[in-house]
Amino acid sequence: MQLDRRGFVTAAAALGATAALPVRAGAATAPGDAPAMDLLGRHAEQLLLAYPENAAMLGIDTGKRAPLKSMLSDHSAAAEAQRRADATSRLAELRAIDQTRLSPVVTTHVETATVAYEIALDGWRRMPVGDMAFLSANGFRSTPYIVSQGNGAFVDVPDMLENKHQVASIADAEAYLARMRAYAKELRDETERLKADAAKGVYLPDFLNDITARQLRAGAEKPGAWSIVTGLGEKARAAHLSGDWAARAARIAEREIAPALAAQADALVALRPKAPDVAGMWQVPDAENIYGWLAEAGTTTKRTPEEIHAAGLEQCKALAAEMDPLLRAQGLTQGTAGERLTQLGKRPDLLFANTDAGRAALLAYLNTVVAKVRPLMPKAFGKLVHGNLNIKRVPPAIQDGAPNGYAGAGSMDGKIPGTYYINLRDTGIWPRYSLPTLTFHEGIPGHIWQGEYTFDLPLIRTLLSFNAYSEGWGLYAEQIADETGFYADDPLGRIGYLQSMNFRAARLVADTGLHHKRWTMDQAMQWFMATTGFTASQARSELNRYCTWPGQALGYKTGHNEINRLRDAARAKLGTRFDVRGFNDAVVQTGGVPLGVLAKVVDRWAV
């Protein structure tokens, strides 16, 4: 697939983007705007109460929202049923709004929330097991498995406490301890749901069961030395709070959390004899219906798994052809594109040592990439954000089950930067040329950059996320870096960029292959490695992720393709008046929306 690199112009800033800019409550321009915004504001507060972690992540658990600082999401079956009932009521309220009385901007807000509730309620109906996460802080992670190596309280809560829970007062420290107790309850509630889902015939595949149980067992060891325990002590000292907060945290860890972790591991081990030895979720009862919903939720389209699979094969073929001359220029002339990428990825001069020093050097290199791309952003955007970013390795305690790279939002007040996590369990999966494009995807101008624009949106728009938009933007961000000239003197880096695009196209094939076409793990591994050039370690990590979160991987290329389709349509419509910075501003400032809503926004912009 040849991406258009000529679209970036040196004309004046994009004035046309203002047609798509969102407004906050109080800036009503149509008769129905004010009451609609008031309703959306109430819905936002209700979502924060249902998923309190959101408030911590955004740094807004203060003032009237201070009680949220002591809370975590209730993971019990009863709480999940209540969330479903609440969503039903809110959807009815949204559908009662007369949209003919709304401005275009407020119409976008209402349509976005409406579709979010519709997708979520369809999910609760079609996937009555696992975690319907569409409205939560981790909206992309819906899965038929309530606990796995990639999701569950043991994955999420320690990171949130360590990196998001701010401690500036005794009340904040007490809230931290309350959240530790809530963490233990989350684990117990998840374990009950794990058993209930097993009674319905849903078991985590055996190889993922083994990984997850091993992580839980390791996590239960030495609770007094946990980072969430020692971290509270460090935060309390930094805030000059008296008292031995670490000791209090250690007691909760030892008496409540560690036993709950061990019990969850025990539950998984007890279910292991009945766990399937196949990777795909086609063995789950009503799998076709559940996977159909997961694909719809992951893409916000009605495209079928069969259509998605065929599209992925076609795109991989096109990208392999585009990489061919670049690989030949590196002396790699024999074999498939994937096989030649494998050879390139083994070049010693492109690898970081698999040592602590090598990991430190890799992280330092990522920071130089960020420093180089920042000055290019005025070429791509009329409105710039700060891009408050910190780069960290995935915590070693969860690295075996974690994705290879991911991002976490920063706080709205800027006190906590967004975090770009990279998995460094094996530096051999990260040849130097592959790292810039990952950094653009997760950091700038990708997820962290895009997330800061949402801070100008009404709160509910910041809370609701849509996988295809978010991950589509992440890939489009990689494209932006290419188009602004980052790789002008770096042909290896551009190979890495095209490899990344090819890898996301391969996800369309592998995800549907595992869950729809019933591929074995070995079959998926062989195809994936041959197509992408990934190492066995890297491919295994990716495929484990697709097994855990079926359908999520489909959003990347689906969203990216749609953004480019809309861009081409806008250019054709506007002709010489088209300014790519205006288009980029319109898309990024619109924030997370279903792809159908994004099409309406771009159509209004392109006038």
Side-chain angles (χ1 to χ4, degrees):
M1 180 182 64
Q2 180 63 50
L3 297 173
D4 184 1
R5 305 177 71 192
R6 298 172 297 170
F8 279 84
V9 296
T10 57
L15 299 177
T18 57
L21 292 183
V23 297
R24 286 189 174 276
T29 59
D33 281 1
M37 295 302 293
D38 286 344
L39 177 62
L40 290 173
R42 292 196 298 274
H43 284 192
E45 298 302 327
Q46 291 161 352
L47 282 172
L48 285 174
L49 190 61
Y51 304 105
E53 295 87 350
N54 275 323
M57 291 176 184
L58 296 172
I60 58 175
D61 49 358
T62 59
K64 67 178 183 179
R65 301 190 186 104
L68 296 174
K69 196 156 192 170
S70 301
M71 302 165 59
L72 296 176
S73 298
D74 188 336
H75 283 204
S76 67
E80 191 71 0
Q82 185 61 54
R83 282 191 281 267
R84 179 178 183 176
D86 292 342
T88 302
S89 299
R90 289 180 209 140
L91 178 59
E93 291 177 327
L94 290 169
R95 285 176 170 169
I97 294 174
D98 181 359
Q99 292 194 18
T100 65
R101 293 170 54 80
L102 302 179
S103 66
V105 167
V106 176
T107 297
T108 295
H109 299 331
V110 171
E111 287 182 336
T112 298
T114 298
V115 174
Y117 285 122
E118 288 174 343
I119 293 174
L121 286 165
D122 195 34
W124 272 308
R125 178 178 63 84
R126 295 170 66 182
M127 190 179 72
V129 293
D131 186 13
M132 200 304 296
F134 201 82
L135 300 176
S136 74
N138 296 302
F140 62 95
R141 267 181 10 195
S142 292
T143 171
Y145 311 116
I146 188 65
V147 176
S148 74
Q149 85 286 359
N151 60 281
F154 84 100
V155 173
D156 298 323
V157 177
D159 176 65
M160 190 274 293
L161 285 172
E162 185 175 352
N163 295 305
K164 302 298 182 182
H165 188 112
Q166 300 181 63
V167 174
S169 67
I170 289 177
D172 293 340
E174 291 288 357
Y176 189 107
L177 295 176
R179 275 187 163 150
M180 288 186 67
R181 297 186 187 95
Y183 174 28
K185 180 181 182 301
E186 272 197 20
L187 290 164
R188 293 192 294 269
D189 288 338
E190 285 176 346
T191 301
E192 290 305 308
R193 289 174 64 184
L194 186 71
K195 296 174 181 177
D197 286 352
K200 298 174 183 177
V202 177
Y203 298 87
L204 189 65
D206 56 9
F207 64 100
L208 298 181
N209 182 303
D210 293 341
I211 295 171
T212 309
R214 186 165 61 246
Q215 286 181 284
L216 286 162
R217 289 244 188 271
E221 294 176 356
K222 301 178 180 178
W226 291 351
S227 59
I228 62 172
V229 172
T230 59
L232 176 58
E234 292 167 1
K235 291 180 181 185
R237 284 191 295 275
H240 307 292
L241 305 183
S242 60
D244 194 344
W245 294 94
R248 293 180 63 186
R251 284 194 291 273
I252 296 171
E254 292 165 358
R255 297 173 185 177
E256 299 182 46
I257 301 174
L261 287 166
Q264 194 164 94
D266 290 343
L268 281 167
V269 170
L271 297 174
R272 175 63 164 77
K274 294 185 178 180
D277 61 358
V278 298
M281 62 155 286
W282 53 264
Q283 41 77 29
V284 170
D286 200 22
E288 184 176 355
N289 189 32
I290 294 175
Y291 185 59
W293 176 77
L294 288 165
E296 291 176 17
T299 65
T300 59
T301 73
K302 294 291 185 180
R303 302 187 74 196
T304 67
E306 194 69 30
E307 291 170 334
I308 293 169
H309 190 87
L313 288 170
E314 180 181 348
Q315 290 170 57
C316 286
K317 182 179 179 180
L319 284 157
E322 190 171 355
M323 283 187 282
D324 180 68
L326 294 171
L327 292 168
R328 287 181 178 276
Q330 296 297 321
L332 299 167
T333 60
Q334 301 297 316
T336 66
E339 289 167 346
R340 286 181 280 170
L341 287 166
T342 298
Q343 296 175 53
L344 185 64
K346 293 178 180 178
R347 268 179 42 180
D349 61 310
L350 299 177
L351 295 175
F352 293 87
N354 200 28
T355 62
D356 287 344
R359 293 180 178 90
L362 189 154
L363 291 171
Y365 173 67
L366 296 181
N367 281 291
T368 68
V369 170
V370 171
K372 182 180 175 182
V373 80
R374 281 188 187 276
L376 300 178
M377 292 302 95
K379 293 184 179 182
F381 301 95
K383 176 185 176 182
L384 303 175
V385 290
H386 177 62
N388 193 12
L389 173 63
N390 185 30
I391 304 175
K392 299 177 66 173
R393 70 175 296 186
V394 171
I398 63 169
Q399 66 184 10
D400 288 347
N404 290 323
Y406 56 94
S411 63
M412 296 178 76
D413 61 10
K415 292 181 180 179
I416 300 177
T419 305
Y420 153 30
Y421 292 96
I422 184 167
N423 198 323
L424 299 182
R425 68 187 179 282
D426 175 12
T427 60
I429 71 174
W430 296 124
R432 184 179 295 265
Y433 66 83
S434 71
L435 291 168
T437 197
L438 177 71
T439 302
F440 306 142
H441 185 105
E442 304 296 349
I444 298 172
H447 292 320
I448 300 301
W449 181 263
Q450 182 269 321
E452 289 188 18
Y453 288 91
T454 71
F455 297 162
D456 289 333
L457 291 163
L459 181 58
I460 194 166
R461 294 291 316 285
T462 303
L463 298 177
L464 296 175
S465 62
F466 298 87
N467 182 61
Y469 172 92
S470 177
E471 299 302 352
W473 177 266
L475 280 192
Y476 186 65
E478 298 179 37
Q479 178 180 330
I480 286 173
D482 177 48
E483 291 174 332
T484 53
F486 187 92
Y487 301 116
D489 57 353
D490 183 10
L492 279 171
R494 192 153 198 279
I495 290 175
Y497 159 63
L498 292 172
Q499 181 183 27
S500 174
M501 288 290 169
N502 180 59
F503 152 47
R504 271 40 174 263
R507 281 179 162 175
L508 300 177
V509 180
D511 193 293
T512 52
L514 285 165
H515 302 299
H516 173 64
K517 291 186 171 293
R518 302 191 177 191
W519 284 8
T520 66
M521 180 59 88
D522 285 345
Q523 183 180 359
M525 283 280 290
Q526 293 302 316
W527 183 88
F528 202 77
M529 292 170 64
T531 303
T532 64
F534 279 19
T535 66
S537 170
Q538 199 171 12
R540 171 66 72 168
S541 177
E542 282 295 323
L543 294 171
N544 284 354
R545 169 179 169 172
Y546 311 157
C547 295
T548 300
W549 305 334
Q552 189 271 336
L554 306 179
Y556 294 73
K557 210 64 182 65
T558 301
H560 178 240
N561 292 343
E562 178 65 3
I563 291 172
N564 276 296
R565 187 192 71 79
L566 294 173
R567 184 166 112 167
D568 290 343
R571 179 186 283 111
K573 185 176 180 180
L574 293 173
T576 57
R577 293 185 296 121
F578 178 81
D579 181 353
V580 77
R581 288 195 296 177
F583 174 82
N584 292 346
D585 282 352
V587 174
V588 76
Q589 291 179 51
T590 294
V593 288
L595 295 182
V597 175
L598 181 63
K600 294 179 182 179
V601 171
V602 172
D603 189 59
R604 285 200 301 269
W605 171 80
V607 294

